[in-house]
Amino acid sequence: MSSLAPLDASKVQITKTTTPKAKLPKEELVFGQSFTDHMLTIEWTAEKGWDTPQIKPYGTLNLDPSSCVFHYAFELFEGMKAYRDANGGIRLFRPDMNIARMNASAERICLPEFDSEELIKLLAEFVKTDSSFIPAGDGYSLYLRPTMIGTDAGLGVSSPGKALLFVIASPVGPYYSTGFKAVRLEATSYATRAWPGGCGNRKLGANYAPCIKPQRQAASRGYQQNLWLFGEEDYITEVGTMNLFFVFNKDGKKELVTAPLDGTILEGVTRDSILALARSRLPTDEWTISERKLTMTEVAERYHKGELVEAFGSGTAAVVSPIKEILYKGEDIMVPCVNGESGNLTDQVWKWLGDIQYGREEHEWSFKI
Ligand SMILES: Cc1ncc(COP(=O)(O)O)c(C=O)c1O
């Protein structure tokens, strides 16, 4: 039997700050720019396993410059939110999915795995400790950033023998403070985000840094994000840091399409939730819900035939992000936005998810703290 200590939430030690921060007025919150009073940290070593979890004052980390995170990118992260509901209660949204994905990311880069339920208990304790930072109101939330890094000192390239799991939290305001703003995309085939056999389906920091340069190039041409294509066929994969959905209508029969989880797509919690809600709530005689390969050529063809109805990205930060235009092979494909800056399904999905996240509708996905 292994003598390694498992992650154990019951052992958590809480040290409260003696210098609480002044809270910003919620209208002044900028995504990821201000943080709460505390952080959760848990150290791990290959010899002993998981150490005592600590909730302690937010502060800098002290790491040896040779730590493997700085040289070989032993880093993974998650993004999730805590919401304040209309009764003042606190809720997470499907934390089991984020934490399962975190373990899958850890497994991919030889960082230690852990008991998901224990980490969810610790997250709940941490959120309770800093609950006064959760802004109230529709669109407001506390963004949680669970992270794990390899901390071994030394330049050998091998699996980490030391790691640090930490969670920080940032109060955030609505992504769209004045209603949806549909975005313009540049379909990018000169740079590739992920490839078969790679690690695009894991939330590793190393997947993100190389995406900034193509995004800046698209921005310099007036497009907010890249639509990442793959292969000679120009398969549609993701948009920026979101999953991507298209709606087509052929002779009155509608299809909601997103790329299948083939290893090149991040397994988005929002994506999974939209598929499940669409399957259970949209009338089956009108709608087909598809996870299938889709090429940019098909989108262009169906646009020319008048079959393209709407398109949107999905992710924790924005929930849904409507798309109004896609540049592909020199042509701007104009995506209809029948409600001005969004389409009907985009609006519907936004409402469905918001109602569950803010507890206006009781649902098994809402995790009360
Ligand atoms: C590359 C990428 N795709 C998709 C998503 C959306 O995932 P989720 O819905 O879990 O936020 C994210 C954000 O986490 C992402 O970074």
PDB file of all heavy atoms in Angstrom, residues 77-79 98 101 193 200 203 208 238 240-243 266-271 314-317, ligand 1:
ATOM      1  N   PHE A  77      -3.989  25.049 -15.721  1.00  0.00           N
ATOM      2  CA  PHE A  77      -4.910  25.916 -14.977  1.00  0.00           C
ATOM      3  C   PHE A  77      -6.349  25.600 -15.328  1.00  0.00           C
ATOM      4  O   PHE A  77      -6.626  24.832 -16.246  1.00  0.00           O
ATOM      5  CB  PHE A  77      -4.599  27.393 -15.233  1.00  0.00           C
ATOM      6  CG  PHE A  77      -4.823  27.838 -16.660  1.00  0.00           C
ATOM      7  CD1 PHE A  77      -5.978  28.545 -16.992  1.00  0.00           C
ATOM      8  CD2 PHE A  77      -3.908  27.576 -17.658  1.00  0.00           C
ATOM      9  CE1 PHE A  77      -6.204  28.967 -18.301  1.00  0.00           C
ATOM     10  CE2 PHE A  77      -4.122  27.992 -18.976  1.00  0.00           C
ATOM     11  CZ  PHE A  77      -5.272  28.690 -19.286  1.00  0.00           C
ATOM     12  N   GLU A  78      -7.239  26.183 -14.551  1.00  0.00           N
ATOM     13  CA  GLU A  78      -8.678  26.079 -14.787  1.00  0.00           C
ATOM     14  C   GLU A  78      -9.294  27.457 -14.691  1.00  0.00           C
ATOM     15  O   GLU A  78      -8.692  28.389 -14.150  1.00  0.00           O
ATOM     16  CB  GLU A  78      -9.335  25.145 -13.752  1.00  0.00           C
ATOM     17  CG  GLU A  78      -9.374  23.705 -14.177  1.00  0.00           C
ATOM     18  CD  GLU A  78     -10.080  23.508 -15.512  1.00  0.00           C
ATOM     19  OE1 GLU A  78     -11.107  24.148 -15.765  1.00  0.00           O
ATOM     20  OE2 GLU A  78      -9.579  22.711 -16.335  1.00  0.00           O
ATOM     21  N   GLY A  79     -10.494  27.582 -15.201  1.00  0.00           N
ATOM     22  CA  GLY A  79     -11.240  28.836 -15.090  1.00  0.00           C
ATOM     23  C   GLY A  79     -12.678  28.507 -14.750  1.00  0.00           C
ATOM     24  O   GLY A  79     -13.325  27.761 -15.488  1.00  0.00           O
ATOM     25  N   ASN A  98     -14.853  21.021 -14.134  1.00  0.00           N
ATOM     26  CA  ASN A  98     -13.570  21.736 -14.150  1.00  0.00           C
ATOM     27  C   ASN A  98     -12.484  20.933 -13.448  1.00  0.00           C
ATOM     28  O   ASN A  98     -11.340  20.865 -13.921  1.00  0.00           O
ATOM     29  CB  ASN A  98     -13.699  23.099 -13.452  1.00  0.00           C
ATOM     30  CG  ASN A  98     -14.498  24.072 -14.265  1.00  0.00           C
ATOM     31  OD1 ASN A  98     -15.688  24.243 -14.030  1.00  0.00           O
ATOM     32  ND2 ASN A  98     -13.884  24.691 -15.244  1.00  0.00           N
ATOM     33  N   ARG A 101     -11.337  18.012 -15.415  1.00  0.00           N
ATOM     34  CA  ARG A 101     -10.458  18.467 -16.511  1.00  0.00           C
ATOM     35  C   ARG A 101      -9.083  18.835 -15.960  1.00  0.00           C
ATOM     36  O   ARG A 101      -8.055  18.596 -16.605  1.00  0.00           O
ATOM     37  CB  ARG A 101     -11.129  19.665 -17.200  1.00  0.00           C
ATOM     38  CG  ARG A 101     -10.421  20.120 -18.455  1.00  0.00           C
ATOM     39  CD  ARG A 101     -11.266  21.116 -19.237  1.00  0.00           C
ATOM     40  NE  ARG A 101     -11.375  22.402 -18.555  1.00  0.00           N
ATOM     41  CZ  ARG A 101     -12.147  23.404 -18.960  1.00  0.00           C
ATOM     42  NH1 ARG A 101     -12.895  23.260 -20.055  1.00  0.00           N
ATOM     43  NH2 ARG A 101     -12.191  24.544 -18.300  1.00  0.00           N
ATOM     44  N   ARG A 193      -3.507  25.868 -33.653  1.00  0.00           N
ATOM     45  CA  ARG A 193      -3.563  25.864 -32.183  1.00  0.00           C
ATOM     46  C   ARG A 193      -3.260  24.486 -31.609  1.00  0.00           C
ATOM     47  O   ARG A 193      -2.592  24.342 -30.593  1.00  0.00           O
ATOM     48  CB  ARG A 193      -4.956  26.313 -31.712  1.00  0.00           C
ATOM     49  CG  ARG A 193      -5.029  26.614 -30.226  1.00  0.00           C
ATOM     50  CD  ARG A 193      -6.461  26.680 -29.713  1.00  0.00           C
ATOM     51  NE  ARG A 193      -6.972  25.363 -29.420  1.00  0.00           N
ATOM     52  CZ  ARG A 193      -6.870  24.743 -28.238  1.00  0.00           C
ATOM     53  NH1 ARG A 193      -6.267  25.328 -27.231  1.00  0.00           N
ATOM     54  NH2 ARG A 193      -7.357  23.535 -28.073  1.00  0.00           N
ATOM     55  N   GLY A 200      -3.997  19.846 -27.183  1.00  0.00           N
ATOM     56  CA  GLY A 200      -4.961  20.947 -27.252  1.00  0.00           C
ATOM     57  C   GLY A 200      -6.208  20.704 -26.435  1.00  0.00           C
ATOM     58  O   GLY A 200      -6.953  21.640 -26.132  1.00  0.00           O
ATOM     59  N   LYS A 203      -5.844  21.845 -20.533  1.00  0.00           N
ATOM     60  CA  LYS A 203      -5.735  23.278 -20.256  1.00  0.00           C
ATOM     61  C   LYS A 203      -4.351  23.582 -19.697  1.00  0.00           C
ATOM     62  O   LYS A 203      -4.165  23.818 -18.494  1.00  0.00           O
ATOM     63  CB  LYS A 203      -6.855  23.708 -19.296  1.00  0.00           C
ATOM     64  CG  LYS A 203      -7.335  25.119 -19.572  1.00  0.00           C
ATOM     65  CD  LYS A 203      -8.682  25.368 -18.966  1.00  0.00           C
ATOM     66  CE  LYS A 203      -8.982  26.834 -18.797  1.00  0.00           C
ATOM     67  NZ  LYS A 203      -8.982  27.642 -20.005  1.00  0.00           N
ATOM     68  N   TYR A 208      -1.308  28.341 -24.661  1.00  0.00           N
ATOM     69  CA  TYR A 208      -1.878  29.686 -24.796  1.00  0.00           C
ATOM     70  C   TYR A 208      -0.881  30.714 -25.321  1.00  0.00           C
ATOM     71  O   TYR A 208      -1.235  31.534 -26.183  1.00  0.00           O
ATOM     72  CB  TYR A 208      -2.500  30.135 -23.466  1.00  0.00           C
ATOM     73  CG  TYR A 208      -3.754  29.313 -23.181  1.00  0.00           C
ATOM     74  CD1 TYR A 208      -3.661  28.006 -22.688  1.00  0.00           C
ATOM     75  CD2 TYR A 208      -5.009  29.798 -23.493  1.00  0.00           C
ATOM     76  CE1 TYR A 208      -4.784  27.221 -22.488  1.00  0.00           C
ATOM     77  CE2 TYR A 208      -6.149  29.025 -23.298  1.00  0.00           C
ATOM     78  CZ  TYR A 208      -6.022  27.733 -22.799  1.00  0.00           C
ATOM     79  OH  TYR A 208      -7.147  26.960 -22.628  1.00  0.00           O
ATOM     80  N   GLU A 238     -11.726  25.873 -32.903  1.00  0.00           N
ATOM     81  CA  GLU A 238     -12.191  26.744 -31.818  1.00  0.00           C
ATOM     82  C   GLU A 238     -12.007  28.197 -32.230  1.00  0.00           C
ATOM     83  O   GLU A 238     -11.369  28.496 -33.244  1.00  0.00           O
ATOM     84  CB  GLU A 238     -11.373  26.487 -30.543  1.00  0.00           C
ATOM     85  CG  GLU A 238     -11.418  25.046 -30.106  1.00  0.00           C
ATOM     86  CD  GLU A 238     -10.998  24.872 -28.662  1.00  0.00           C
ATOM     87  OE1 GLU A 238     -11.544  25.572 -27.791  1.00  0.00           O
ATOM     88  OE2 GLU A 238     -10.116  24.039 -28.420  1.00  0.00           O
ATOM     89  N   GLY A 240     -10.476  31.740 -30.689  1.00  0.00           N
ATOM     90  CA  GLY A 240      -9.748  32.352 -29.571  1.00  0.00           C
ATOM     91  C   GLY A 240      -9.616  31.336 -28.462  1.00  0.00           C
ATOM     92  O   GLY A 240      -9.033  30.262 -28.651  1.00  0.00           O
ATOM     93  N   THR A 241     -10.180  31.625 -27.304  1.00  0.00           N
ATOM     94  CA  THR A 241     -10.191  30.651 -26.204  1.00  0.00           C
ATOM     95  C   THR A 241     -11.630  30.241 -25.900  1.00  0.00           C
ATOM     96  O   THR A 241     -12.047  30.177 -24.747  1.00  0.00           O
ATOM     97  CB  THR A 241      -9.514  31.224 -24.945  1.00  0.00           C
ATOM     98  OG1 THR A 241     -10.206  32.420 -24.590  1.00  0.00           O
ATOM     99  CG2 THR A 241      -8.060  31.546 -25.189  1.00  0.00           C
ATOM    100  N   MET A 242     -12.367  29.950 -26.973  1.00  0.00           N
ATOM    101  CA  MET A 242     -13.749  29.480 -26.792  1.00  0.00           C
ATOM    102  C   MET A 242     -14.031  28.333 -27.768  1.00  0.00           C
ATOM    103  O   MET A 242     -13.413  28.243 -28.830  1.00  0.00           O
ATOM    104  CB  MET A 242     -14.730  30.620 -27.071  1.00  0.00           C
ATOM    105  CG  MET A 242     -14.791  31.656 -25.970  1.00  0.00           C
ATOM    106  SD  MET A 242     -16.111  32.837 -26.246  1.00  0.00           S
ATOM    107  CE  MET A 242     -15.260  33.949 -27.314  1.00  0.00           C
ATOM    108  N   ASN A 243     -15.010  27.527 -27.409  1.00  0.00           N
ATOM    109  CA  ASN A 243     -15.546  26.550 -28.358  1.00  0.00           C
ATOM    110  C   ASN A 243     -16.468  27.289 -29.316  1.00  0.00           C
ATOM    111  O   ASN A 243     -16.841  28.437 -29.074  1.00  0.00           O
ATOM    112  CB  ASN A 243     -16.290  25.433 -27.613  1.00  0.00           C
ATOM    113  CG  ASN A 243     -15.356  24.611 -26.744  1.00  0.00           C
ATOM    114  OD1 ASN A 243     -15.475  24.585 -25.520  1.00  0.00           O
ATOM    115  ND2 ASN A 243     -14.392  23.934 -27.361  1.00  0.00           N
ATOM    116  N   LEU A 266     -10.547  21.886 -26.738  1.00  0.00           N
ATOM    117  CA  LEU A 266     -10.693  21.893 -25.280  1.00  0.00           C
ATOM    118  C   LEU A 266     -12.111  21.471 -24.922  1.00  0.00           C
ATOM    119  O   LEU A 266     -13.075  21.951 -25.523  1.00  0.00           O
ATOM    120  CB  LEU A 266     -10.389  23.263 -24.670  1.00  0.00           C
ATOM    121  CG  LEU A 266     -10.278  23.131 -23.142  1.00  0.00           C
ATOM    122  CD1 LEU A 266      -8.909  22.641 -22.717  1.00  0.00           C
ATOM    123  CD2 LEU A 266     -10.628  24.400 -22.420  1.00  0.00           C
ATOM    124  N   GLU A 267     -12.206  20.594 -23.937  1.00  0.00           N
ATOM    125  CA  GLU A 267     -13.524  20.032 -23.584  1.00  0.00           C
ATOM    126  C   GLU A 267     -14.266  21.029 -22.703  1.00  0.00           C
ATOM    127  O   GLU A 267     -14.302  20.905 -21.483  1.00  0.00           O
ATOM    128  CB  GLU A 267     -13.308  18.668 -22.920  1.00  0.00           C
ATOM    129  CG  GLU A 267     -12.579  17.731 -23.873  1.00  0.00           C
ATOM    130  CD  GLU A 267     -12.132  16.416 -23.253  1.00  0.00           C
ATOM    131  OE1 GLU A 267     -12.472  16.156 -22.082  1.00  0.00           O
ATOM    132  OE2 GLU A 267     -11.442  15.656 -23.952  1.00  0.00           O
ATOM    133  N   GLY A 268     -14.830  22.038 -23.319  1.00  0.00           N
ATOM    134  CA  GLY A 268     -15.426  23.161 -22.594  1.00  0.00           C
ATOM    135  C   GLY A 268     -16.622  22.732 -21.752  1.00  0.00           C
ATOM    136  O   GLY A 268     -17.481  21.975 -22.204  1.00  0.00           O
ATOM    137  N   VAL A 269     -16.682  23.277 -20.538  1.00  0.00           N
ATOM    138  CA  VAL A 269     -17.831  23.022 -19.662  1.00  0.00           C
ATOM    139  C   VAL A 269     -19.063  23.694 -20.265  1.00  0.00           C
ATOM    140  O   VAL A 269     -20.165  23.138 -20.259  1.00  0.00           O
ATOM    141  CB  VAL A 269     -17.539  23.554 -18.244  1.00  0.00           C
ATOM    142  CG1 VAL A 269     -18.736  23.354 -17.331  1.00  0.00           C
ATOM    143  CG2 VAL A 269     -16.302  22.874 -17.663  1.00  0.00           C
ATOM    144  N   THR A 270     -18.880  24.891 -20.800  1.00  0.00           N
ATOM    145  CA  THR A 270     -20.003  25.606 -21.420  1.00  0.00           C
ATOM    146  C   THR A 270     -20.469  24.845 -22.666  1.00  0.00           C
ATOM    147  O   THR A 270     -21.674  24.699 -22.893  1.00  0.00           O
ATOM    148  CB  THR A 270     -19.574  27.046 -21.780  1.00  0.00           C
ATOM    149  OG1 THR A 270     -18.737  27.554 -20.743  1.00  0.00           O
ATOM    150  CG2 THR A 270     -20.779  27.952 -21.961  1.00  0.00           C
ATOM    151  N   ARG A 271     -19.521  24.367 -23.463  1.00  0.00           N
ATOM    152  CA  ARG A 271     -19.861  23.578 -24.664  1.00  0.00           C
ATOM    153  C   ARG A 271     -20.732  22.381 -24.304  1.00  0.00           C
ATOM    154  O   ARG A 271     -21.795  22.158 -24.883  1.00  0.00           O
ATOM    155  CB  ARG A 271     -18.556  23.103 -25.333  1.00  0.00           C
ATOM    156  CG  ARG A 271     -18.745  22.122 -26.485  1.00  0.00           C
ATOM    157  CD  ARG A 271     -17.383  21.505 -26.872  1.00  0.00           C
ATOM    158  NE  ARG A 271     -17.521  20.558 -27.963  1.00  0.00           N
ATOM    159  CZ  ARG A 271     -17.946  19.306 -27.832  1.00  0.00           C
ATOM    160  NH1 ARG A 271     -18.283  18.834 -26.633  1.00  0.00           N
ATOM    161  NH2 ARG A 271     -18.030  18.513 -28.888  1.00  0.00           N
ATOM    162  N   SER A 314     -18.336  29.847 -27.138  1.00  0.00           N
ATOM    163  CA  SER A 314     -18.835  29.549 -25.792  1.00  0.00           C
ATOM    164  C   SER A 314     -17.669  29.342 -24.835  1.00  0.00           C
ATOM    165  O   SER A 314     -16.665  28.718 -25.184  1.00  0.00           O
ATOM    166  CB  SER A 314     -19.721  28.294 -25.813  1.00  0.00           C
ATOM    167  OG  SER A 314     -18.933  27.132 -25.905  1.00  0.00           O
ATOM    168  N   GLY A 315     -17.812  29.908 -23.630  1.00  0.00           N
ATOM    169  CA  GLY A 315     -16.769  29.736 -22.616  1.00  0.00           C
ATOM    170  C   GLY A 315     -17.197  30.365 -21.301  1.00  0.00           C
ATOM    171  O   GLY A 315     -18.156  31.146 -21.261  1.00  0.00           O
ATOM    172  N   THR A 316     -16.487  30.037 -20.239  1.00  0.00           N
ATOM    173  CA  THR A 316     -16.855  30.509 -18.904  1.00  0.00           C
ATOM    174  C   THR A 316     -16.879  32.032 -18.809  1.00  0.00           C
ATOM    175  O   THR A 316     -17.768  32.606 -18.188  1.00  0.00           O
ATOM    176  CB  THR A 316     -15.847  29.934 -17.882  1.00  0.00           C
ATOM    177  OG1 THR A 316     -15.977  28.512 -17.919  1.00  0.00           O
ATOM    178  CG2 THR A 316     -16.108  30.432 -16.475  1.00  0.00           C
ATOM    179  N   ALA A 317     -15.907  32.700 -19.451  1.00  0.00           N
ATOM    180  CA  ALA A 317     -15.795  34.153 -19.274  1.00  0.00           C
ATOM    181  C   ALA A 317     -17.011  34.883 -19.833  1.00  0.00           C
ATOM    182  O   ALA A 317     -17.661  35.654 -19.143  1.00  0.00           O
ATOM    183  CB  ALA A 317     -14.514  34.658 -19.926  1.00  0.00           C
TER     184      ALA A 317
HETATM  185  C1  LIG B   1      -9.017  26.953 -25.720  1.00  0.00           C
HETATM  186  C2  LIG B   1     -10.312  27.041 -24.984  1.00  0.00           C
HETATM  187  N1  LIG B   1     -11.425  26.536 -25.556  1.00  0.00           N
HETATM  188  C3  LIG B   1     -12.614  26.564 -24.933  1.00  0.00           C
HETATM  189  C4  LIG B   1     -12.764  27.129 -23.682  1.00  0.00           C
HETATM  190  C5  LIG B   1     -14.097  27.144 -23.017  1.00  0.00           C
HETATM  191  O1  LIG B   1     -14.126  26.252 -21.947  1.00  0.00           O
HETATM  192  P1  LIG B   1     -15.134  26.457 -20.724  1.00  0.00           P
HETATM  193  O2  LIG B   1     -16.502  26.463 -21.313  1.00  0.00           O
HETATM  194  O3  LIG B   1     -14.879  25.293 -19.842  1.00  0.00           O
HETATM  195  O4  LIG B   1     -14.782  27.763 -20.103  1.00  0.00           O
HETATM  196  C6  LIG B   1     -11.634  27.696 -23.048  1.00  0.00           C
HETATM  197  C7  LIG B   1     -11.744  28.312 -21.714  1.00  0.00           C
HETATM  198  O5  LIG B   1     -11.552  27.648 -20.739  1.00  0.00           O
HETATM  199  C8  LIG B   1     -10.388  27.631 -23.703  1.00  0.00           C
HETATM  200  O6  LIG B   1      -9.293  28.141 -23.124  1.00  0.00           O
END
